[in-house]
């Protein structure tokens, strides 16, 4: 019987567990059966599906149903509220598991590296997303929306998500699972203008068409695009010719540029060829100085030396996620990933049978949820190919780790515990005629998790 720990219960970790389980149940599988523990430092499973996918994207969130089935499969256990490196060491994990798959994602934000970015009122979009998603590590009073003008830096799907959430009313969002404290802040929002800044041209924007199109369907906000910023260089023309997503995006943005704003109470200003030079303010954010850029023919830009300032009281830096290292593992600081060969961790260029990676900590923060399925499958193929050379962990009793953690006073949230949280959130929602209301506070989550 092969014993595997998967660290991280987001899509990449769960797909890795599913792939392992599927292979192990094939007739003649070399594994001799498999037990997989999916470990997460949070009490709740599903990673960015729970704490990243926007609350109004119910269809994407419904992937939870498929992920849930995997965690309910015999031979797969969920062990939440268990922080690797804090509650249990890497060495201890190796005592209990033949193989470990690290699939803990890319949790931190990237920095802009400009003056003023740490002023009060300047946040990472990942922080804002975590707050409205009810992430237990975020203070519930972390955000107010006293700002009238908000600058969002970056033109990826996260930027579009945060701009859309800021543009919607609390009434629009009431049917979602947003915690009440978030709805209260949205209801008191002063935001009227959201300035989304792309440093390159429209053909280099990273958002996808479906997400872009939604901005044009907002009841409460106009989208304003400047015709003179929809500039294409040679590389952009080539991109538009071969990439249907970018071509459709451009068509949509051109139609917005040609339209007159209809006077809705909020506005999303979608800007291109402007890069943030500094954030102004004495104690708090008062504005963002931007520099006009121009395309250089290759799809990259250079500065023009032409500066202006957008008055703003809040900045959300939405310039991508970044992975973090874990003590005891190699780490590539340049791109925030763990070095690997087809999913097998590499230490100083040498393969380590028994240690694997999957998801964003393997390939960087790119792709959609489904991308993680093929990614995890590659990793598990590698793991299975390594079986003949993989040393067996000395401890074979699946309960031994749980006993050790109980002795340490670690309150592991198992599947039953999560079901307790799940039911409590559904009951909270039903009391208000909503499907679910998320619980954000860690102690409340743990209170609802049934203790074994
Ligand atoms: P992203 O797609 O990598 O976009 C990052 C944006 O930040 C780019 O426009 C980038 O511009 C810009 N940027 C980077 N450094 C900058 C700087 N110093 N100054 C100004 N702009 C800068 O990242 P993301 O939006 O965080 O999304 C992460 C992943 O999650 C993506 O794969 C995304 O599709 C996925 N996601 C999907 C959904 C969905 O499907 N609905 C929702 C959310 C996230 P350059 O291109 O010029 O570098």
């Amino acid at each position: 019987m092969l014993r595997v720990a998967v660290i991280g219960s987001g899509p990449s970790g769960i797909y890795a567990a599913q792939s392992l389980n599927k292979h192990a149940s094939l007739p003649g599988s070399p594994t001799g059966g498999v037990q997989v523990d999916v470990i997460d430092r949070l009490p709740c499973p599903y990673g960015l599906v729970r704490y990243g996918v926007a609350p109004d994207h119910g269809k994407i969130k419904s992937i939870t149903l498929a992920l849930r089935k995997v965690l309910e499969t015999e031979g797969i256990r969920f062990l939440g509220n268990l922080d690797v490196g804090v509650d249990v060491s890497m060495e201890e994990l190796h005592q209990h598991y033949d193989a470990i798959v690290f699939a803990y994602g890319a949790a931190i934000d990237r920095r802009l590296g400009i003056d003023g970015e740490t002023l009060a009122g300047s946040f990472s979009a990942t922080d804002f997303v975590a707050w409205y998603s009810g992430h237990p590590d975020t203070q519930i009073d972390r955000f107010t929306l006293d700002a009238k003008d908000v600058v969002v830096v970056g033109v990826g799907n996260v930027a579009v998500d945060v701009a859309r959430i800021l543009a919607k009313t609390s009434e629009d969002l009431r049917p979602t699972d947003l915690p009440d404290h978030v709805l209260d802040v949205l209801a008191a929002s002063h935001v009227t203008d959201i300035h989304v800044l792309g440093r390159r041209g429209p053909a280099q924007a990273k958002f996808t068409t479906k997400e872009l199109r939604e901005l044009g369907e907002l009841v409460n906000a106009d989208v304003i695009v400047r015709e003179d910023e929809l500039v294409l260089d040679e590389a952009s023309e080539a991109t538009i010719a071969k990439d249907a997503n970018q071509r459709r995006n451009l068509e949509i943005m051109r139609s917005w540029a040609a339209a007159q704003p209809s006077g809705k109470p909020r506005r999303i200003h979608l800007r291109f060829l402007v890069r943030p030079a500094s954030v102004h303010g004495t104690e708090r954010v008062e504005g963002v100085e931007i520099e006009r850029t121009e395309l250089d023919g290759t799809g990259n830009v250079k500065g023009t030396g032409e500066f202006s300032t957008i008055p703003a009281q809040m900045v959300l830096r939405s310039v991508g996620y970044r992975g973090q290292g874990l003590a005891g593992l190699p780490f590539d600081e340049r791109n925030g990933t763990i070095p690997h060969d087809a999913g097998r961790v590499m230490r100083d260029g040498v393969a380590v049978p028994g240690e694997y990676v999957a998801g964003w900590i393997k390939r960087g923060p790119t792709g959609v949820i489904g991308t993680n399925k093929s990614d995890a499958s590659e990793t598990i193929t590698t793991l299975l190919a390594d079986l003949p050379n993989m040393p067996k962990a000395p401890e074979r009793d699946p309960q031994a780790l749980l006993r050790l953690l109980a002795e340490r006073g670690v309150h592991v949230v198992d599947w039953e515990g999560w079901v307790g949280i799940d039911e409590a959130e559904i009951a909270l929602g039903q009391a208000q005629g909503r499907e679910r209301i998320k619980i954000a506070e860690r102690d409340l989550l743990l209170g609802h998790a049934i203790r074994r």
Side-chain angles (χ1 to χ4, degrees), residues 270-347:
L270 189 50
R271 306 282 313 268
F272 294 100
L273 298 170
V274 284
R275 69 178 171 208
S278 62
V279 180
H280 288 178
T282 38
E283 280 170 21
R284 298 189 54 81
V285 171
E286 290 168 22
V288 177
E289 184 183 39
I290 53 170
E291 182 183 13
R292 166 73 56 210
T293 60
E294 62 187 17
L295 286 157
D296 65 1
T298 69
N300 286 316
V301 285
K302 51 182 194 271
T304 62
E306 186 193 319
F307 292 88
S308 58
T309 299
I310 303 174
Q313 304 78 46
M314 180 176 177
V315 174
L316 293 176
R317 307 175 305 263
S318 183
V319 295
Y321 290 81
R322 195 182 148 73
Q324 268 180 306
L326 194 58
L329 278 181
F331 191 64
D332 183 340
E333 286 292 345
R334 272 170 315 146
N335 49 25
T337 55
I338 297 174
H340 71 96
D341 175 24
R344 182 188 296 112
V345 173
M346 302 289 285
R347 288 180 186 273

Side-chain angles (χ1 to χ4, degrees), residues 304-417:
T304 62
E306 186 193 319
F307 292 88
S308 58
T309 299
I310 303 174
Q313 304 78 46
M314 180 176 177
V315 174
L316 293 176
R317 307 175 305 263
S318 183
V319 295
Y321 290 81
R322 195 182 148 73
Q324 268 180 306
L326 194 58
L329 278 181
F331 191 64
D332 183 340
E333 286 292 345
R334 272 170 315 146
N335 49 25
T337 55
I338 297 174
H340 71 96
D341 175 24
R344 182 188 296 112
V345 173
M346 302 289 285
R347 288 180 186 273
D348 300 322
V350 180
V352 189
E355 289 181 334
Y356 304 87
V357 279
W360 278 6
I361 198 63
K362 171 186 176 186
R363 67 173 195 278
T366 59
V368 292
I369 294 172
T371 315
N372 293 301
K373 207 161 195 174
S374 46
D375 179 307
S377 169
E378 179 198 54
T379 296
I380 298 309
T381 304
T382 302
L383 185 156
L384 294 171
D386 284 354
L387 282 181
N389 305 321
M390 196 182 287
K392 284 268 172 215
E395 179 56 69
R396 308 307 302 168
D397 177 358
Q399 299 308 319
L401 181 66
L402 295 181
R403 283 196 298 272
L404 176 79
L405 293 166
E407 276 163 27
R408 278 183 193 160
V410 179
H411 173 188
V412 173
V413 175
D414 63 6
W415 186 251
E416 265 177 79

Side-chain angles (χ1 to χ4, degrees), residues 103-365:
Y104 61 85
I108 55 171
D109 58 295
R110 290 180 49 220
R111 288 290 161 135
L112 288 171
I114 59 172
D115 284 349
E117 81 173 303
T118 55
L119 274 171
S122 167
F123 304 90
S124 72
T126 54
D127 209 1
F128 186 58
V129 171
W131 170 75
Y132 68 60
S133 301
H135 194 295
D137 287 352
T138 310
Q139 294 282 338
I140 62 170
D141 58 357
R142 173 112 175 105
F143 285 89
T144 55
L145 291 175
D146 307 324
K148 204 168 108 353
D149 287 85
V150 180
V151 165
V152 178
V153 182
V155 281
N157 277 331
V158 171
V160 173
D161 276 349
V162 298
R164 191 181 66 256
I165 296 295
L166 287 170
K168 283 193 171 184
T169 64
S170 61
E171 283 317 303
D172 294 334
L173 292 164
R174 189 162 296 279
T176 70
D177 63 7
L178 281 185
D180 280 339
H181 65 268
V182 174
L183 283 176
D184 291 345
V185 169
L186 291 172
S189 170
H190 291 221
V191 173
T192 57
D193 291 81
I194 303 145
H195 309 260
V196 183
L197 310 185
R199 62 179 169 179
R200 297 193 285 157
Q204 287 77 39
K206 296 269 181 66
F207 43 63
T208 39
T209 307
K210 188 180 147 291
E211 280 61 32
L212 179 68
R213 197 173 273 136
E214 273 179 89
L215 295 183
E217 294 160 3
L218 293 170
V219 199
N220 204 43
D222 283 315
V223 187
I224 298 173
V225 176
R226 301 176 184 203
E227 186 88 56
D228 62 352
E229 289 185 347
L230 295 183
V231 177
L232 305 181
D233 64 351
E234 215 175 298
S236 309
E237 297 283 4
T239 303
I240 299 295
K242 67 172 195 303
D243 185 333
N245 181 67
Q246 298 299 62
R247 198 163 50 244
R248 282 194 297 265
N249 285 354
L250 192 65
E251 281 163 18
I252 293 168
M253 291 188 281
R254 279 182 175 149
S255 74
W256 289 339
Q260 285 298 318
S262 64
K264 291 177 184 171
R266 290 180 183 158
R267 287 157 295 277
I268 296 176
H269 306 264
L270 189 50
R271 306 282 313 268
F272 294 100
L273 298 170
V274 284
R275 69 178 171 208
S278 62
V279 180
H280 288 178
T282 38
E283 280 170 21
R284 298 189 54 81
V285 171
E286 290 168 22
V288 177
E289 184 183 39
I290 53 170
E291 182 183 13
R292 166 73 56 210
T293 60
E294 62 187 17
L295 286 157
D296 65 1
T298 69
N300 286 316
V301 285
K302 51 182 194 271
T304 62
E306 186 193 319
F307 292 88
S308 58
T309 299
I310 303 174
Q313 304 78 46
M314 180 176 177
V315 174
L316 293 176
R317 307 175 305 263
S318 183
V319 295
Y321 290 81
R322 195 182 148 73
Q324 268 180 306
L326 194 58
L329 278 181
F331 191 64
D332 183 340
E333 286 292 345
R334 272 170 315 146
N335 49 25
T337 55
I338 297 174
H340 71 96
D341 175 24
R344 182 188 296 112
V345 173
M346 302 289 285
R347 288 180 186 273
D348 300 322
V350 180
V352 189
E355 289 181 334
Y356 304 87
V357 279
W360 278 6
I361 198 63
K362 171 186 176 186
R363 67 173 195 278

Side-chain angles (χ1 to χ4, degrees), residues 24-46:
S25 54
L26 294 175
S29 160
T31 59
V34 64
Q35 287 169 333
V36 188
D37 284 348
V38 180
I39 295 173
D40 205 296
R41 70 185 186 83
L42 297 178
C44 309
Y46 310 132

Side-chain angles (χ1 to χ4, degrees), residues 38-44 78-84 86-88 401-421 441-452:
V38 180
I39 295 173
D40 205 296
R41 70 185 186 83
L42 297 178
C44 309
F78 171 65
L79 305 181
N81 200 38
L82 175 52
D83 200 351
V84 172
V86 177
D87 299 319
V88 62
L401 181 66
L402 295 181
R403 283 196 298 272
L404 176 79
L405 293 166
E407 276 163 27
R408 278 183 193 160
V410 179
H411 173 188
V412 173
V413 175
D414 63 6
W415 186 251
E416 265 177 79
W418 157 246
V419 170
I421 296 172
E441 300 87 338
R442 187 181 277 267
D443 52 347
L444 290 182
L445 290 169
L446 293 179
H448 287 293
I450 304 157
R451 281 177 187 271
R452 283 177 81 88

